[in-house]
Amino acid sequence: MKTAILLAAFGSRHQKARESIDRITQRVCQEYPDIPVRLAYTSKIIRGHMEKVGEAVDSVPEALDKLLSEGVTHVVLQSLHLVPGKEFHELLNLANDYMLKDNGFNRVEVGFPLVAGEVSLKKVADAVLSIGLEGRGDHDAVLFMGHGTRQLDGSVYYEALHRFFQEKDPTVHMGVMEHQEEAGIETFIQRFKELNVKKAYLLPFLFGAGWHVVKDMVGDHENSWQSRLEAEGIECEAVLKGAGEYDRLVNIWLAHLNDAIRRLSRC
Ligand code: CO
């Protein structure tokens, strides 16, 4: 049995977001010093960018092929995504394909993304809520910006987090950037106007503080969330820190990874 860990991140070309990826990679290496740890990006667009600047990063199939050629027999494929959306489901398919194909792995276990499903949602929601409340100060509302997904079974988690926050503290909200208009910024602008919110505390619910944070959350153009809110007279304070920069969230990913490693050793 020759084991390897493959971390699958969406990827980012932004230095600051890459620091999040480096940080979690380091934590994994520290925790499992005897197991080789590799990194792959699931985003084709980001991989293209990285290649152009001479810092090519493998896709998941490329990284799995390399591990096979090195004689690895057992792999933990750990998702570094936030919700089980399109990318995560693609990892499940790849795990299936690489176990069933000729000369494939003996076993590939996929580690859950941060939100592992409805059953364990509370743990993530509590941790994210605590991050929002910690810095809220005298802001009237806390607004997280999630990515959003077209995938039905991924999109439900943003709404579920929003409902959880609202039950615990009605000043905390979860919105999404794209694909799910009903949870987009327009909805929150209307709500904040009704609630007479004057100051909002804005945080990303994204792995790293990369492109979407810099451009879509706080960008210096009229369509960023901050500009849209400010145009309505709502003052904003933004936190430029991704999920991968909070130990309490990284610990949840590491717990999923640990479960997957324990499943591997069961066979
Ligand atoms: Co995106």
Side-chain angles (χ1 to χ4, degrees):
M1 178 165 168
K2 194 172 167 187
T3 305
I5 294 169
L6 176 56
L7 302 175
F10 181 82
S12 179
R13 64 191 111 140
H14 252 262
Q15 190 49 43
K16 188 153 184 298
R18 270 148 64 194
E19 281 165 21
S20 287
I21 297 173
D22 291 346
R23 235 175 93 145
I24 199 166
T25 307
Q26 260 174 25
R27 287 273 315 265
V28 172
C29 290
Q30 277 164 11
E31 208 122 326
Y32 304 99
D34 303 327
I35 305 179
V37 178
R38 303 287 162 78
L39 176 69
Y41 282 1
T42 54
S43 166
K44 196 176 174 188
I45 295 172
I46 306 287
R47 287 199 311 274
H49 276 283
M50 299 309 285
E51 202 176 334
K52 262 188 225 149
V53 297
E55 295 174 43
V57 180
D58 285 337
S59 66
V60 176
E62 283 165 351
L64 289 171
D65 285 336
K66 283 183 188 169
L67 293 175
L68 271 179
S69 72
E70 290 163 24
V72 168
T73 55
H74 291 68
V75 179
V76 168
L77 179 51
Q78 176 60 49
S79 162
L80 298 185
H81 305 96
L82 275 82
V83 298
K86 179 168 165 273
E87 284 84 4
F88 176 68
H89 287 88
E90 280 168 7
L91 297 184
L92 295 178
N93 279 340
L94 283 168
N96 177 72
D97 294 348
Y98 273 80
M99 267 179 75
L100 296 184
K101 73 179 201 163
D102 291 340
N103 304 314
F105 297 105
N106 290 6
R107 200 168 178 98
V108 182
E109 282 292 336
V110 181
F112 283 118
L114 182 69
V115 172
E118 204 176 343
V119 177
S120 64
L121 188 77
K122 192 186 169 301
K123 202 171 150 192
V124 176
D126 272 328
V128 175
L129 181 67
S130 73
I131 289 167
L133 291 178
E134 230 166 54
R136 184 181 60 179
D138 62 352
H139 292 85
D140 305 317
V142 177
L143 177 58
F144 282 96
M145 184 182 88
H147 191 281
T149 172
R150 250 183 235 107
Q151 183 118 355
L152 263 185
D153 44 9
S155 65
V156 294
Y157 294 109
Y158 297 107
E159 171 63 21
L161 285 165
H162 179 71
R163 267 189 275 119
F164 180 92
F165 295 161
Q166 291 284 296
E167 273 168 30
K168 294 261 168 139
D169 186 327
T171 67
V172 185
H173 309 259
M174 170 66 74
V176 303
M177 197 189 62
E178 51 190 48
H179 304 310
Q180 298 165 246
E181 221 170 275
E182 67 289 352
I185 187 62
E186 191 56 46
T187 299
F188 290 96
I189 287 173
Q190 292 311 324
R191 203 170 293 164
F192 287 0
K193 280 162 86 175
E194 283 160 25
L195 295 167
N196 200 28
V197 167
K198 295 287 176 216
K199 286 179 80 181
Y201 189 56
L202 267 181
L203 304 100
F205 180 65
L206 295 161
F207 185 77
W211 179 250
H212 287 313
V213 172
V214 175
K215 181 176 157 282
D216 302 300
M217 196 174 98
V218 301
D220 204 9
H221 56 90
E222 62 180 14
N223 289 323
S224 74
W225 281 27
Q226 179 159 357
S227 300
R228 298 279 312 272
L229 289 160
E230 283 173 353
E232 300 292 338
I234 300 165
E235 198 185 310
C236 292
E237 185 187 332
V239 180
L240 309 184
K241 222 171 145 186
E245 293 175 76
Y246 293 96
D247 280 336
R248 76 196 88 165
L249 299 182
V250 169
N251 290 341
I252 295 174
W253 267 294
L254 289 182
H256 295 325
L257 171 63
N258 191 253
D259 283 350
I261 286 182
R262 286 167 56 208
R263 291 199 298 272
L264 265 193
S265 55
R266 282 291 172 108
C267 52

